[in-house]
Structures are given as C-alpha cells and as structure tokens.
Amino acid sequence: LNVFRYLTFRMGLSVISSMTIVFLIGAPFIKFIESHKFTGPIRDDGPQEHIIKKVGTPTMGGLLILIGIIFSTLIWADLSNPYIWVLLMVATSFGFLGAVDDYLKIKRNNSRGISSGMKILFQIILSIIAVFLLINFANNEHLNNLYFPFFKNLILNLGLFFIPFSIFIIVGSSNAVNLTDGLDGLATVPVMLVALSFTLIC
C-alpha cells in the first residue's frame, strides 16, 4: 500500500478514474443534452460545409470534463494541500462561467453569450481571488519564484510582479483552449493536446 504515497502512481490512477467516470456518464449525459435541445448555435463566418456538419452539436460538454476532473482530484489528490483547493476553485468557477455563457447562447439562439469584455473581466476577478487565496493560505516561500525548465539553477524571484503574472497565466491558460473552442464549438482535440502536455509536465 506504500505505492499510494507516490505522486506519479496517484496521477496515473487519477487519469484512469476521470476517464472511467466520463465513459460511464458520458452517453447518458449527451442523450440528456440532446433530448432537451441544448445545442449551441454555430458561428456563420466559417466554411459552409463546416457549418452544416456542426449544426445540432450538443453544447455544455465542458461540464462532463469538469465532473471527471473534480471526481479524480477529490479521490487521489492530497486534500490537505491548499494548491488543490485553489485549483478546484479556478476550474469550477471558470467552468460555471462557461456554462452561463453556453446557456445564454441557447436562450438567445445565437453565438453571442457573455460579451468577450465581460468574460475577460470575470476571469480576471476570479484569478485575483485565486492569487489572493494562494498568497494567504499556500504559505510557501517559493511561491514568487519562476522556474525555467531544463535549467536547475535558473530561478527568477518575481516579487510583487508575481500577482499580475499569475493572473495573466490563469486567464491565458483558460483562453488558450477557449478561443479555439469558440471557432466551432468542439474543444475535444485542443483539450486533449493541452491535457497531454500538462500530463507530460507532471
């Protein structure tokens, strides 16, 4: 049982757990969305063939991804670690913001949900809260340090610049996939690529 103490082992189990829960609830979840006509409108500024193929695509699939993340994190993560709770707070709050955006698109029957300006503003506010929680509860002397991959001794102490830098990273990481998703309403491939990258980094 000592193997459960290793981070790499628990990370592997979390991947399997999240994949399993998504496989189990995925089909019923998609059927529920389709039966209730939760299909997002497709932007009309793309190729005509692309628009025809994407019409009727169920939206709010991000909820399925979020359920998988929360499920595996609560089972396998060290819940005494404040970073885990900040991570869950950012993921769920940004996910909720995305769900509200999708709901408004369905309700108005167009591709305009929350305006881009308001969305960025909400993301910045949520990021400020996350950074505030980190500063007050993480209590880590290395929090302000920026480490460079492959360079063992190259460390940059950001000082107070840590706050705007962290906000930029959180908002930027969210929109790296979100902007691509907005082109056709299908985030699967971008999410897979980003998730794989994060998995390799872990």
Side-chain angles (χ1 to χ4, degrees), residues 168-190:
F168 174 78
I169 291 296
I170 295 170
V171 175
S173 298
S174 168
N175 287 296
V177 167
N178 202 31
L179 292 174
T180 311
D181 176 34
L183 295 176
D184 64 2
L186 294 174
T188 307
V189 175

Side-chain angles (χ1 to χ4, degrees), residues 73 78-94 126-139 143 162 166 170:
T73 301
D78 176 11
L79 298 182
S80 65
N81 187 336
Y83 288 101
I84 297 297
W85 292 106
V86 173
L87 167 70
L88 287 176
M89 171 263 168
V90 171
T92 52
S93 59
F94 274 52
L126 292 170
S127 300
I128 290 171
I129 295 170
V131 173
F132 173 80
L133 291 172
L134 279 176
I135 292 171
N136 283 274
F137 296 103
N139 194 24
L143 189 63
F162 161 77
S166 300
I170 295 170

Side-chain angles (χ1 to χ4, degrees), residues 18 22 29 60-71 187-188 191:
S18 59
V22 169
F29 181 84
M60 293 191 176
L63 286 174
L64 196 58
I65 297 170
L66 200 56
I67 289 168
I69 291 171
I70 293 172
F71 177 80
T188 307
V191 166

Side-chain angles (χ1 to χ4, degrees), residues 59-63 66 70 88-106 108 111-129 167 170-175 178-179 181:
T59 189
M60 293 191 176
L63 286 174
L66 200 56
I70 293 172
L88 287 176
M89 171 263 168
V90 171
T92 52
S93 59
F94 274 52
F96 177 75
L97 183 63
V100 171
D101 185 43
D102 283 344
Y103 172 76
L104 291 176
K105 288 176 183 177
I106 295 166
R108 297 170 182 169
S111 59
R112 295 177 184 176
I114 303 173
S115 69
S116 57
M118 285 300 295
K119 195 182 293 184
I120 290 290
L121 178 63
F122 280 126
Q123 289 176 345
I124 290 172
I125 292 170
L126 292 170
S127 300
I128 290 171
I129 295 170
I167 293 167
I170 295 170
V171 175
S173 298
S174 168
N175 287 296
N178 202 31
L179 292 174
D181 176 34

Side-chain angles (χ1 to χ4, degrees), residues 83 140-148 152-163 165-166:
Y83 288 101
N140 192 322
E141 61 183 24
H142 304 294
L143 189 63
N144 294 357
N145 290 343
L146 178 63
Y147 295 87
F148 293 85
K152 191 175 290 186
N153 298 316
L154 184 55
I155 303 169
L156 180 64
N157 189 300
L158 297 176
L160 288 176
F161 186 68
F162 161 77
I163 296 173
F165 180 76
S166 300

